[in-house]
Amino acid sequence: MEGNRTEAITQPDAARIIRGVNTQFKRGQIGSLQIELNAQGNENGLALSLNYDPKVMTFLDAAVGEGANGAALQVNSSQAINGLVGFALALPAGQQLAAGTHALLNLRFMSNGGAGEVITNVSFSDQLLPREVADVNASVVAGVNYIGATISISGKAVATVSAANYVGGEQAAESIVSAFGSQLAAFAQAAASLPLPISLGGSQVIVKDSKGAERFAPLFYASPAQINFHLPAGTAEGVAPLTIFSGAGVTSTGLVTIGKVAPS
């Protein structure tokens, strides 16, 4: 108020917020990151890109969250190896979200091998798919805030990479994989003949594929810090738990993602 003049104070509309929910991952397990939207009540769809550190976690897949049942989802994971994934989600024509907070996406990640606690962040960008929110009339709406998430990763698991180039990500069945960790074998030993043995340095490696089949992996080399093994033929695509039994009685675990083909 100034003299006898009264100024009206306008309240801005409540902000649309797209956020990642802070969470914790365990190495050797699959973790889930939830993406939420604080909706105004007229939203029909959205697109965005998500950035993460591929050195500490690997993107697996995505599903529509409970708050967006019936929505169609498209995922662009062509740059996942570089820590970038794009998502486009849309409700059927004419449908819209009610005002309030909705769980839109559930993203699954595999924590890469290692030990100790790591704090990592995910953020939103326009690098793969430009960020936008569309209303029920397919018009882009303004005033959207994007808030990334913090993920705490703990536990211990072996790290697995391609033995051809020491790059992580998907590995193909019958390719050669290197596992890194500690106390993986009682002593260093290399395979001296064919067929490859399933025990070296007192250690054995078992791969359990996504269909539940368990197979001993043939070994090229074993040492306390590294084991090189051949992914068994017939290993199904998907996430495969890996178990290493050392000759010293130490059991180490990890995860390896099996794909149709893998870079080499």
Side-chain angles (χ1 to χ4, degrees):
M1 180 180 296
E2 182 179 344
N4 294 324
R5 181 168 60 87
T6 302
E7 294 183 352
I9 301 175
T10 58
Q11 296 292 335
D13 291 337
R16 291 182 180 87
I17 300 174
I18 293 177
R19 66 166 64 85
V21 180
N22 296 342
T23 188
Q24 297 180 339
F25 289 173
K26 288 285 188 180
R27 292 189 180 90
Q29 301 177 15
I30 295 173
S32 181
L33 171 66
Q34 185 170 285
I35 306 298
E36 294 181 341
L37 168 65
N38 182 25
Q40 297 278 305
N42 65 339
E43 296 85 353
N44 173 267
L46 61 85
L48 54 83
S49 299
L50 185 78
N51 297 85
Y52 60 93
D53 187 349
K55 295 185 179 67
V56 299
M57 61 188 194
T58 299
F59 173 74
L60 296 177
D61 54 37
V64 175
E66 292 182 359
N69 283 335
L73 173 64
Q74 293 183 334
V75 180
N76 185 337
S77 58
S78 61
Q79 295 297 315
I81 193 170
N82 297 317
L84 178 63
V85 186
F87 305 96
L89 182 146
L91 291 167
Q95 292 189 20
Q96 60 193 37
L97 294 171
T101 301
H102 302 272
L104 296 185
L105 294 169
N106 289 316
L107 314 181
R108 296 200 311 159
F109 290 86
M110 181 178 74
S111 300
N112 298 344
E117 185 173 9
V118 173
I119 304 297
T120 189
N121 297 308
V122 298
S123 60
F124 299 105
S125 74
D126 305 303
Q127 290 178 268
L128 202 56
L129 292 178
R131 282 173 289 184
E132 62 180 29
V133 175
D135 65 18
V136 71
N137 297 313
S139 299
V140 175
V141 301
V144 183
N145 295 322
Y146 294 84
I147 302 174
T150 298
I151 299 175
S152 173
I153 300 174
S154 61
K156 179 181 178 181
V158 297
T160 56
V161 296
S162 167
N165 54 14
Y166 293 108
V167 172
E170 291 188 350
Q171 310 299 329
E174 299 190 67
S175 63
I176 304 172
V177 176
S178 294
F180 294 92
S182 61
Q183 297 180 290
L184 300 181
F187 54 92
Q189 185 180 15
S193 62
L194 295 175
L196 294 171
I198 61 170
S199 179
L200 281 176
S203 294
Q204 294 182 314
V205 177
I206 294 179
V207 178
K208 182 178 181 180
D209 68 19
S210 59
K211 295 183 178 179
E214 293 186 341
R215 299 175 177 89
F216 283 99
L219 307 182
F220 289 91
Y221 171 79
S223 72
Q226 178 180 351
I227 291 182
N228 290 352
F229 63 92
H230 188 251
L231 272 173
T235 302
E237 295 176 45
V239 178
L242 178 74
T243 305
I244 299 174
F245 300 99
S246 81
V250 178
T251 300
S252 301
T253 60
L255 297 173
V256 59
T257 306
I258 312 299
K260 290 183 179 179
V261 295
S264 63

